[in-house]
Amino acid sequence: MKLIWRLTLRITLALSLLLAGWAFFFYVAVMDEVNDQADDALEEYSVRLIRRQLAGLPLPDTDDESMTVYSLIEVDADYAEMAEPERYSDSKAYIPAMDEEVPVRVLRTIFQDAHNRYYELAAATPTIEKDDLQEAIFTWIVWLYAILLLAVVLINGWVLWRSLRPLYVLLRWLDNYHIGEENPPLENPTRITEFRKLTEAARRSAERSEQLFEEQKQFIGNASHEMQTPLAVCRNRLEMLAADNELSERQLGEILGVLQTLEGLTRMNRTLLLLSKIDNGQFPENGEVCLNDLLRSHLDAYAEIYGHRHIALTLEEQGQLKVTMNSSLAEMLVTNLLKNAYLHNVKEGHIHIRITPRSLRFANTGEPLPFDEADLFKRFRQGGHREESTGLGLALVASICKRYGLHIAYAYTGGEHCFTVTKP
């Protein structure tokens, strides 16, 4: 979930609880104010009636047009002592002036006259319909909540979007950033201190990464170039030593083993030097190359080399795949994929190659990868320890594809390793 929506959701939940609490306290406050006004009127009315009763004056007629009604009854001393002197309650009563039964606020007061007689005065005055009030408050609260929530979401979303825009600009730049390629400059002006510092940190980190990448490429290229001569000298001397007739069979076997190791090291050194040249763009000569012709020119040779494994190969051509690239690199692309299909196959397995005007697909039988697919195109990653493999073939393929904008994908389905090179 994006940060802006997470913040909006949390603010919405907080507002929901706040509005629910506000609605409850608002209702309590309204009812308290309504009851307070009714209680004050009832208290004043009851005091006048009690004074008239104690003074022996006649009480008002209950059948007049007054909205307040009362009743006066004599009670015994036990009831008077047990009951509270004043009690407020909500009830319903018939109001003659309204000619109907309505909700009323009732005040019951117990008092004693000069003859030690106890009376209970019950005065009632109409009040609002609390059920209607609850319904009205609930309705308005719902409307208020919906309008307020919509306004808050829109305003909050706009404010957050404006505030977090530098962060999204930075994230988009980081997503599209690739070390060793031409990347657009990071333009992210902002007045927010944290985002400004974050932008500067990202820019410095990218510069350090580029510098380290360039130093690494230069080191690999220089080291591979400098190793060529010592490797050639060692190989020549060992070959001269192997030609000596005085060597025993055991000594000759050891020399041949060292020569074989040097041969693998030489191949690895040449591949590293080649990768360095590709990364540095040292293959500028480009032209239109037909991968169909390149592939057919190598099929017989590879079938003969790996003939002892009895691997069946089928070629399906649905069109000609032509790409604009360096012819030498195109040949390396095709031969490395073909060699990989033979080398990492099973005995008496098969290879199926399909070419279309947009893609080149190699599918070969084989065991599942012993490592994560994400590491397949990394350097020195091998499916097994094989003398013929340097662990750089697929890394070289990926580097060539990246150089010329081709897309290479891998999948393991139905017991087959599938490599697909797609032309954009």
Side-chain angles (χ1 to χ4, degrees):
M1 181 182 292
K2 288 188 175 181
L3 177 62
I4 184 172
W5 298 120
R6 182 175 290 275
L7 291 175
T8 302
L9 178 61
R10 290 184 175 180
I11 291 175
T12 302
L13 292 177
L15 281 177
S16 301
L17 297 176
L18 181 63
L19 285 174
W22 176 84
F24 173 76
F25 287 109
F26 176 76
Y27 172 77
V28 172
V30 169
M31 295 308 303
D32 183 70
E33 184 65 24
V34 170
N35 291 336
D36 187 61
Q37 292 184 0
D39 293 345
D40 290 342
L42 286 174
E43 184 178 1
E44 183 180 355
Y45 184 73
S46 298
V47 168
R48 291 202 306 267
L49 291 179
I50 291 173
R51 287 178 177 174
R52 294 178 68 89
Q53 174 68 19
L54 295 178
L57 300 176
L59 299 179
D61 190 358
T62 56
D63 293 332
D64 60 10
E65 297 299 323
S66 175
M67 300 295 292
T68 303
V69 296
Y70 71 92
S71 64
L72 182 65
I73 59 174
E74 185 176 352
V75 296
D76 56 27
D78 294 336
Y79 176 82
E81 290 178 0
M82 292 179 61
E84 297 181 5
E86 291 184 349
R87 303 192 306 278
Y88 291 97
S89 62
D90 295 313
S91 182
K92 283 191 174 183
Y94 177 77
I95 305 297
M98 302 177 66
D99 194 22
E100 63 176 334
E101 189 178 58
V102 297
V104 293
R105 184 70 171 173
V106 180
L107 170 60
R108 288 180 170 82
T109 307
I110 296 178
F111 63 93
Q112 182 181 13
D113 62 5
H115 303 288
N116 293 326
R117 290 178 297 184
Y118 292 94
Y119 295 90
E120 183 180 58
L121 174 65
T125 185
T127 185
I128 61 174
E129 181 64 57
K130 294 187 177 180
D131 292 338
D132 294 340
L133 179 62
Q134 290 177 356
E135 183 179 353
I137 290 178
F138 177 77
T139 302
W140 283 107
I141 287 296
V142 169
W143 279 103
L144 175 64
Y145 172 77
I147 295 173
L148 183 60
L149 182 60
L150 180 62
V152 167
V153 169
L154 293 177
I155 295 174
N156 184 65
W158 181 81
V159 171
L160 289 176
W161 178 80
R162 292 283 299 179
S163 301
L164 296 177
R165 187 165 57 177
L167 177 61
Y168 292 125
V169 171
L170 178 59
L171 291 176
R172 188 162 52 250
W173 183 82
L174 290 174
D175 284 339
N176 298 324
Y177 183 84
H178 299 284
I179 296 178
E181 299 182 2
E182 291 187 7
N183 298 288
L186 178 55
E187 301 293 340
N188 193 19
T190 176
R191 297 180 180 179
I192 302 176
T193 303
E194 291 80 2
F195 289 156
R196 190 167 61 249
K197 290 183 177 180
L198 187 60
T199 299
E200 290 299 324
R203 187 181 290 114
R204 290 194 301 269
S205 177
E207 291 174 354
R208 288 195 298 269
S209 299
E210 290 290 345
Q211 182 180 0
L212 291 174
F213 181 74
E214 291 299 326
E215 292 176 355
Q216 182 185 38
K217 286 200 306 181
Q218 185 177 3
F219 170 76
I220 293 175
N222 293 339
S224 299
H225 186 270
E226 294 298 326
M227 286 173 62
Q228 282 184 316
T229 301
L231 287 173
V233 171
C234 291
R235 183 175 179 181
N236 290 335
R237 289 183 176 179
L238 285 172
E239 288 176 350
M240 290 174 60
L241 185 60
D244 191 348
N245 295 327
E246 297 181 359
L247 294 176
S248 64
E249 184 177 351
R250 177 178 174 279
Q251 291 172 331
L252 185 60
E254 292 292 335
I255 292 175
L256 291 177
V258 174
L259 279 172
Q260 188 175 6
T261 303
L262 278 177
E263 178 64 26
L265 185 59
T266 302
R267 289 200 310 269
M268 184 184 300
N269 182 70
R270 285 199 300 264
T271 307
L272 286 172
L273 185 58
L274 182 60
L275 282 169
S276 178
K277 289 181 178 180
I278 294 174
D279 292 338
N280 291 326
Q282 293 179 321
F283 291 88
E285 302 85 5
N286 295 331
E288 189 176 68
V289 182
C290 180
L291 298 187
N292 302 59
D293 298 337
L294 276 178
L295 182 60
R296 283 195 299 269
S297 66
H298 290 281
L299 288 180
D300 293 338
Y302 275 83
E304 183 178 351
I305 294 173
Y306 295 97
H308 64 284
R309 306 191 68 185
H310 305 289
I311 296 174
L313 186 144
T314 56
L315 175 63
E316 177 186 356
E317 295 186 77
Q318 299 178 358
Q320 287 194 329
L321 176 57
K322 296 181 178 181
V323 293
T324 302
M325 60 189 302
N326 182 274
S327 58
S328 298
L329 294 182
E331 186 173 1
M332 292 177 191
L333 172 66
V334 171
T335 55
N336 273 280
L337 286 173
L338 185 58
K339 178 183 177 182
N340 181 80
Y342 272 107
L343 194 60
H344 298 283
N345 213 315
V346 296
K347 192 173 182 180
E348 298 183 354
H350 66 266
I351 300 173
H352 180 260
I353 305 174
R354 185 176 68 230
I355 305 178
T356 71
R358 306 288 296 179
S359 65
L360 171 63
R361 182 177 183 270
F362 285 79
N364 64 274
T365 50
E367 298 297 329
L369 292 177
F371 51 84
D372 192 353
E373 291 183 10
D375 298 333
L376 182 61
F377 296 101
K378 292 183 178 180
R379 299 180 182 183
F380 304 109
R381 209 65 167 102
Q382 299 184 40
H385 297 288
R386 302 176 185 270
E387 293 182 358
E388 308 98 318
S389 175
T390 61
L392 294 172
L394 291 178
L396 183 61
V397 169
S399 183
I400 295 173
C401 290
K402 181 180 178 182
R403 173 69 181 170
Y404 294 101
L406 303 174
H407 177 71
I408 183 166
Y410 167 80
Y412 184 77
T413 55
E416 292 184 336
H417 298 280
C418 301
F419 293 88
T420 306
V421 178
T422 307
K423 178 182 176 182

